[in-house]
């Protein structure tokens, strides 16, 4: 359910200003768009999280990871990933959300993990990194297991970078297979405060293709799901 929020809209009706997005995330809120009106703010109780040290890789995904079927890239096609995540009839990713997170990406605060096969985007996920917290927004797959591989890779990257909180917003049976669980909102806010005191390093894992194309890619070595609802 939408929660009360102190956050005003930007003077640009098609954009939520990055300062407001950062303040909202730091206070436990996130936005969702839609065709039925303006962006709305949410702060679920209970809140879905995935403890990085409790992440579980199902046997089927382990087999996929051993086969190394995808080339994993990071931040090379952020807007394409957002577009893929929005390819559903009831998508909450409208033009305002795309523009707003595109700006966050340019500022180095929003990131994508992408699975590629033969030069074609097969799936991916995106979210927001603040301090030692990563807020998973959405994921999608066009090829079996692509988003799951991205989730495993994401967890590896967050662990390597010293992150301590992976926010999935809500839980679903799909996410629970990987170890996601619900915590009371009050507990989540305490965890968030502690996470924001840390300095997570998104670039701690080397080897993926960056937007400048200078680095080599990592084959699927390890990857959040798509918001159906958020982070499903």
């Amino acid at each position: 359910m939408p929660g009360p929020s102190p956050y005003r809209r930007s003077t640009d009706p098609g954009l939520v200003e990055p300062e407001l997005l950062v303040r909202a995330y730091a206070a436990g809120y996130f936005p969702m768009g839609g065709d039925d009106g303006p962006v709305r703010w949410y702060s679920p109780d209970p809140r879905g999280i995935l403890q990085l040290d409790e992440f579980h890789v199902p046997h089927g995904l382990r087999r996929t990871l051993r086969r190394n079927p995808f080339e994993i890239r990071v931040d090379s096609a952020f807007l394409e990933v957002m577009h893929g995540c929005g390819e559903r009839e009831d998508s909450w990713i409208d033009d305002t959300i795309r523009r707003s997170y595109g700006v966050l990406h340019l500022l180095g605060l929003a990131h994508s993990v992408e699975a590629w096969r033969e030069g074609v985007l097969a799936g991916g996920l995106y979210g927001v990194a603040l301090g030692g917290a990563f807020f998973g927004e959405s994921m999608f797959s066009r090829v079996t297991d692509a988003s799951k591989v991205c989730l495993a890779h994401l967890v590896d990257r967050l662990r390597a970078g010293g992150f301590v909180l992976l926010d999935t917003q809500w839980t679903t049976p799909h996410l629970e297979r990987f170890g996601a669980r619900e915590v009371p909102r009050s507990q989540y806010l305490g965890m968030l405060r502690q996470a924001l005191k840390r300095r997570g390093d998104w670039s701690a894992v080397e080897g993926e293709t960056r937007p400048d194309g200078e680095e080599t890619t990592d084959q699927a070595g390890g990857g959040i799901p798509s918001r159906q609802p958020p982070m499903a």
Side-chain angles (χ1 to χ4, degrees):
M1 295 295 293
S5 170
Y7 305 108
R8 62 180 176 81
R9 289 294 300 278
S10 165
T11 53
D12 179 346
L15 180 73
V16 181
E17 293 173 353
E19 295 84 357
L20 298 184
L21 280 172
V22 169
R23 285 173 49 211
Y25 276 106
Y29 288 88
F30 57 86
M32 293 177 68
D35 296 330
D36 58 348
V39 167
R40 304 181 75 180
W41 298 92
Y42 294 78
S43 185
D45 190 3
R47 187 77 167 230
I49 63 167
L50 205 166
Q51 294 279 58
L52 296 175
D53 59 356
E54 297 176 2
F55 180 67
H56 172 69
V57 180
H59 292 299
L61 181 56
R62 288 184 186 275
R63 290 194 295 270
T64 298
L65 291 171
R66 284 196 294 268
R67 291 201 312 270
N68 245 10
F70 303 109
E71 173 190 342
I72 298 300
R73 305 181 190 177
V74 173
D75 290 339
S76 75
F78 182 83
L79 293 179
E80 289 183 55
V81 170
M82 286 202 73
H83 178 76
C85 291
E87 290 178 337
R88 55 178 66 97
E89 291 185 7
D90 58 347
S91 176
W92 51 271
I93 302 175
D94 61 12
D95 289 341
T96 297
I97 294 294
R98 279 189 289 270
R99 286 189 61 200
S100 303
Y101 284 84
V103 172
L104 276 190
H105 175 62
L106 293 176
L107 292 173
L109 298 176
H111 301 282
S112 59
V113 178
E114 309 139 15
W116 295 76
R117 177 179 285 180
E118 298 179 350
V120 177
L121 184 63
L125 61 88
Y126 77 96
V128 175
L130 296 177
F134 188 87
F135 307 86
E137 280 297 313
S138 191
M139 67 191 259
F140 79 102
S141 286
R142 293 172 181 153
V143 177
T144 301
D145 285 345
S147 64
K148 296 176 184 177
V149 168
C150 288
L151 175 60
H153 180 88
L154 173 67
V155 170
D156 285 348
R157 173 169 287 268
L158 297 180
R159 286 171 172 166
F163 288 80
V164 294
L165 176 62
L166 175 49
D167 174 10
T168 65
Q169 301 174 347
W170 286 282
T171 61
T172 65
H174 174 71
L175 280 175
E176 289 169 357
R177 294 180 60 214
F178 298 92
R181 60 187 176 90
E182 293 180 336
V183 296
R185 183 174 182 271
S186 58
Q187 181 180 344
Y188 167 80
L189 292 175
M191 298 171 70
L192 176 59
R193 284 192 293 271
Q194 294 302 311
L196 293 175
K197 294 177 182 178
R198 292 177 172 259
R199 278 186 128 172
D201 182 2
W202 176 255
S203 301
V205 175
E206 300 299 334
E208 296 84 0
T209 297
R210 307 299 295 186
D212 57 17
E214 292 183 356
E215 295 190 3
T216 58
T217 58
D218 220 4
Q219 292 296 319
I224 258 172
S226 159
R227 212 189 301 189
Q228 324 173 61
M231 292 314 299

